[in-house]
Amino acid sequence: MHRGEKRRRSRSLDRYGRKRRESSVERTDSPRNNSQAFQDQRASLPVGKYKAELLQAIEANQIIVCIGETGSGKTTQLPQFLLEAGYGDSKRIGITQPRRVATTAVAKRVGEELAASGVSPKAVGYTIRFDDQCTTETKIKFMTDGILVRECLQDPLLQQYSIIMLDEAHERSIHTDILFGLLKSMLKQRPDLKLIVTSATLDDERFAAFFNDCPVFRVPGRSFPVDIYHSKTHQIMGKTGPVSTYIQAAVDTTLQIHTHEPEGHILLFLTGQKEIEEACSMLNSRMRRFNEEERLNPDNPRIPRLLVLPLYGALSSAKQRRIFNPSSGRKVIVCTNIAETSLTVDGVKYVVDAGFTKQKVYNPLRGLESLIIVPISQVSAQQRAGRAGRTSAGKCYRLYSKQSYESMLPETVPEIQRSNLANTILYLKVLGISDVVGFNYLDPPAEDAIIDALRQLYVLGAINDAGEVTDTGKDMAQFPLEPRLGRCLLEGIRLGCGKELMIIVAMLSVETIFMYQNEKRTHDEQDQHSIARRQATKLLEKHYHTKGDHL
């Protein structure tokens, strides 16, 4: 046999001399098939039918409000339409999101779709706190709304952008509300800059009136009928939060769906990391018990596999992206309200709604902000239910009664009306806005809240007797911190103890300083964990004293 022929033949045989089987995975994941899959998905999105009309409206107007139902494709497709129309040729296209999770997830998705279309994925970048993934080649920049507010401090006219898109405006974060007023006045000085305000549910008439009676463009979404089932349990709020044990009820309902309903993924809405991890642990424990019972009693009906995935803001980006990975079995995504509108997961047919959310609330008497659990609004309840009807008919199980739903607030209170405004007022002062009471707010905060913020800034030395920002105030605004913490850091640097103050400020800037490791560690991680424990023990022995504090 010829040597070359033998070599060619050997490539088709495995190590045992058997003919190699062609991998179906390789065929599925080929660039051509990936590209075709992305193109098919893009073509199926409702917003694609309105591409020409949308671009025409953007070209003809400096500001437009785009109302697109969740799942219409506005978040991923509009930036690509703008890039194709040439808005990224000389300057950048800026897209804001109120949440970090959505910012990174959408940027990754748009990058993949552009790569499948033959455009360099480097054309898309994102910037969130402590993570800047933009280069000189970036044409579409995704960022949190807080990042754009801080960019206004460095460049009040945002000269690097040709168009700004404020996405998910209905969430009414404090930074988005500030951007409404800043951009409205900025557009008068920059006639070449364009603004798109997009939302899933918004009072379009009020928004259009705020932006000088700008046109409103509507994009219908894909929606199928959703059957809504209410529990008989009433929402009862105590002094420290809800009285009802809704986590157990949520787990029971989820498993009831899994064992009795046809295929389709499940979205379970809870309030935060602690509840989500508790629910995930309970679900996994119950599934292990089911599997053990099956092993002992083979005649029992077989319960399919259930993949339990958490989703919350503090989760790493890699773990957050797992919710988008294809799965052979049913997925249950245990999430916060981030999945109401910001992210769309294909294949969800069932929604379990606990009816609560965490909200930041400021107490001016104590001078403290806190996260409290409160009932959601009716708009949020409708958004959650609608998640079950994006790909086919679905079902929504509300763990509260109809009476509880009717007693909910119609809309969520804007964050600017329930937060400490000291940081916001400081930013406005640095931007040269002297009349912060008369600033162009969409929903003005209480005058007492503004006066309280001015008092805080005066005590900290950020503004003087005339209400003008001082050099200290300008330095404080450079830190992405609350004014009090920024002032502490500046004073620490002045007194030569900046390193110690940085540690203290870092501890005070996060929700919790403790990290919980629920997943199995690798051998290397176990070794590192053991070393860390030994170092911590040595530190404890060094500083321990019988008359010291509890630490």
Side-chain angles (χ1 to χ4, degrees):
M1 184 181 293
H2 193 273
R3 184 179 297 175
E5 185 181 346
K6 184 176 181 180
R7 188 181 294 118
R8 284 194 299 273
R9 182 183 173 189
S10 65
R11 287 177 185 153
S12 64
L13 302 177
D14 65 12
R15 58 186 293 189
Y16 302 107
R18 297 175 301 198
K19 188 175 180 180
R20 291 182 186 274
R21 294 176 60 188
E22 292 185 10
S23 170
S24 60
V25 175
E26 289 177 6
R27 288 199 303 270
T28 303
D29 292 342
S30 67
R32 181 181 298 176
N33 286 330
N34 269 344
S35 176
Q36 188 59 45
F38 279 127
Q39 296 302 328
D40 292 344
Q41 287 179 357
R42 289 191 67 187
S44 68
L45 292 170
V47 73
K49 301 174 185 176
Y50 302 90
K51 177 181 176 181
E53 293 95 319
L54 259 171
L55 291 175
Q56 187 177 355
I58 294 166
E59 177 66 28
N61 301 278
Q62 191 177 18
I63 311 172
I64 70 162
V65 173
C66 179
I67 307 296
E69 294 178 18
T70 305
S72 63
K74 63 185 184 305
T75 297
T76 57
Q77 301 309 303
L78 257 177
Q80 297 181 65
F81 295 166
L82 296 173
L83 184 66
E84 292 168 12
Y87 286 97
D89 291 349
S90 58
K91 295 186 177 183
R92 282 179 172 172
I93 300 164
I95 319 288
T96 70
Q97 288 279 342
R99 300 171 184 274
R100 284 175 289 180
V101 180
T103 304
T104 55
V106 173
K108 183 175 183 293
R109 175 68 184 191
V110 172
E112 289 172 346
E113 291 188 5
L114 286 177
S117 304
V119 180
S120 170
K122 292 182 180 179
V124 181
Y126 69 83
T127 302
I128 59 175
R129 194 177 184 185
F130 307 128
D131 188 7
D132 186 358
Q133 297 295 328
C134 291
T135 66
T136 53
E137 299 177 56
T138 301
K139 295 183 177 181
I140 302 176
K141 180 177 179 178
F142 288 90
M143 65 198 118
T144 51
D145 44 14
I147 293 292
L148 189 59
V149 170
R150 293 197 61 78
E151 286 189 9
C152 289
L153 297 177
Q154 309 297 328
D155 179 12
L157 293 179
L158 298 176
Q159 295 287 1
Q160 64 171 310
Y161 299 103
S162 63
I163 188 165
I164 300 289
M165 174 174 152
L166 301 181
D167 199 13
E168 307 295 349
H170 61 273
E171 293 209 9
R172 301 295 304 278
S173 73
I174 191 167
H175 290 123
T176 297
D177 269 26
I178 291 302
L179 285 170
F180 289 154
L182 291 177
L183 289 169
K184 183 179 178 181
S185 59
M186 189 187 301
L187 291 170
K188 297 175 184 176
Q189 303 174 60
R190 273 201 62 192
D192 61 317
L193 179 65
K194 291 184 179 290
L195 173 65
I196 306 172
V197 180
T198 68
S199 171
T201 57
L202 204 62
D203 187 348
D204 54 336
E205 292 182 2
R206 192 157 65 94
F207 257 72
F210 179 79
F211 287 110
N212 308 318
D213 294 320
C214 68
V216 177
F217 198 97
R218 292 187 173 276
V219 179
R222 294 177 301 188
S223 58
F224 294 87
V226 176
D227 295 328
I228 296 177
Y229 303 91
H230 285 88
S231 165
K232 294 181 180 179
T233 306
H234 296 293
Q235 286 183 328
I236 302 173
M237 296 295 294
K239 289 184 178 180
T240 57
V243 175
S244 56
T245 55
Y246 55 89
I247 299 177
Q248 183 64 55
V251 170
D252 292 341
T253 305
T254 300
L255 291 173
Q256 185 78 7
I257 294 169
H258 180 55
T259 53
H260 291 85
E261 294 288 350
E263 63 180 13
H265 302 316
I266 305 169
L267 267 183
L268 168 55
F269 286 98
L270 294 175
T271 66
Q273 178 179 350
K274 183 181 177 183
E275 288 186 4
I276 288 171
E277 289 180 346
E278 183 181 345
C280 288
S281 176
M282 292 168 69
L283 284 166
N284 285 321
S285 176
R286 293 274 290 275
M287 286 304 298
R288 283 194 297 270
R289 197 184 312 162
F290 287 151
N291 293 336
E292 184 65 21
E293 290 174 0
E294 278 182 15
R295 190 179 65 81
L296 296 174
N297 302 293
D299 296 335
N300 285 357
R302 183 179 174 277
I303 296 175
R305 176 173 171 266
L306 180 66
L307 180 61
V308 182
L309 298 172
L311 179 63
Y312 49 85
L315 205 62
S316 67
S317 297
K319 291 179 180 177
Q320 288 169 3
R321 285 196 292 269
R322 289 187 304 181
I323 67 170
F324 300 108
N325 295 340
S327 170
S328 57
R330 194 198 301 269
K331 287 189 287 191
V332 54
I333 300 163
V334 190
C335 57
T336 60
N337 57 356
I338 183 176
E340 273 182 27
T341 54
S342 298
L343 298 175
T344 299
V345 182
D346 291 333
V348 171
K349 293 185 181 180
Y350 307 98
V351 167
V352 180
D353 179 13
F356 293 101
T357 187
K358 273 188 179 177
Q359 274 189 4
K360 187 188 292 184
V361 176
Y362 176 63
N363 185 333
L365 295 177
R366 293 184 178 181
L368 294 173
E369 277 187 325
S370 56
L371 281 171
I372 62 171
I373 297 175
V374 296
I376 59 174
S377 65
Q378 291 181 1
V379 167
S380 291
Q382 292 161 14
Q383 283 293 323
R384 292 182 178 189
R387 281 308 197 179
R390 295 303 166 203
T391 54
S392 65
K395 296 180 180 181
C396 174
Y397 297 84
R398 290 176 173 168
L399 306 181
Y400 48 90
S401 63
K402 282 187 178 180
Q403 290 85 349
S404 295
Y405 172 77
E406 289 165 0
S407 65
M408 290 174 176
L409 293 173
E411 293 182 347
T412 306
V413 178
E415 189 180 1
I416 199 168
Q417 295 184 337
R418 50 183 169 83
S419 297
N420 182 5
L421 299 178
N423 217 14
T424 302
I425 299 300
L426 178 59
Y427 285 164
L428 294 179
K429 288 287 185 182
V430 172
L431 287 167
I433 298 166
S434 55
D435 183 13
V436 290
V437 176
F439 178 71
N440 214 337
Y441 302 101
L442 180 62
D443 284 307
E447 196 169 312
D448 289 346
I450 297 176
I451 293 171
D452 176 67
L454 290 169
R455 181 189 59 78
Q456 290 181 55
L457 294 175
Y458 178 73
V459 170
L460 294 170
I463 57 175
N464 57 23
D465 294 341
E468 299 167 343
V469 67
T470 62
D471 290 338
T472 300
K474 291 176 182 177
D475 290 339
M476 288 164 58
Q478 299 304 310
F479 297 114
L481 297 167
E482 288 297 315
R484 283 181 292 186
L485 297 180
R487 184 71 175 88
C488 287
L489 200 51
L490 285 176
E491 197 66 15
I493 294 169
R494 188 180 71 82
L495 296 173
C497 53
K499 183 178 178 181
E500 290 77 9
L501 259 295
M502 277 194 288
I503 295 170
I504 294 170
V505 166
M507 291 176 68
L508 293 172
S509 300
V510 294
E511 289 184 22
T512 174
I513 59 171
F514 300 105
M515 293 187 68
Y516 301 96
Q517 179 62 268
N518 292 328
E519 298 185 356
K520 293 181 179 178
R521 297 186 178 94
T522 63
H523 290 299
D524 290 342
E525 288 173 337
Q526 287 176 349
D527 292 341
Q528 291 173 3
H529 182 66
S530 299
I531 293 169
R533 283 188 67 87
R534 286 197 295 271
Q535 290 175 340
T537 303
K538 287 180 181 178
L539 282 171
L540 183 63
E541 290 171 352
K542 179 181 176 182
H543 297 288
Y544 176 76
H545 193 277
T546 53
K547 294 184 179 180
D549 60 26
H550 65 283
L551 286 175

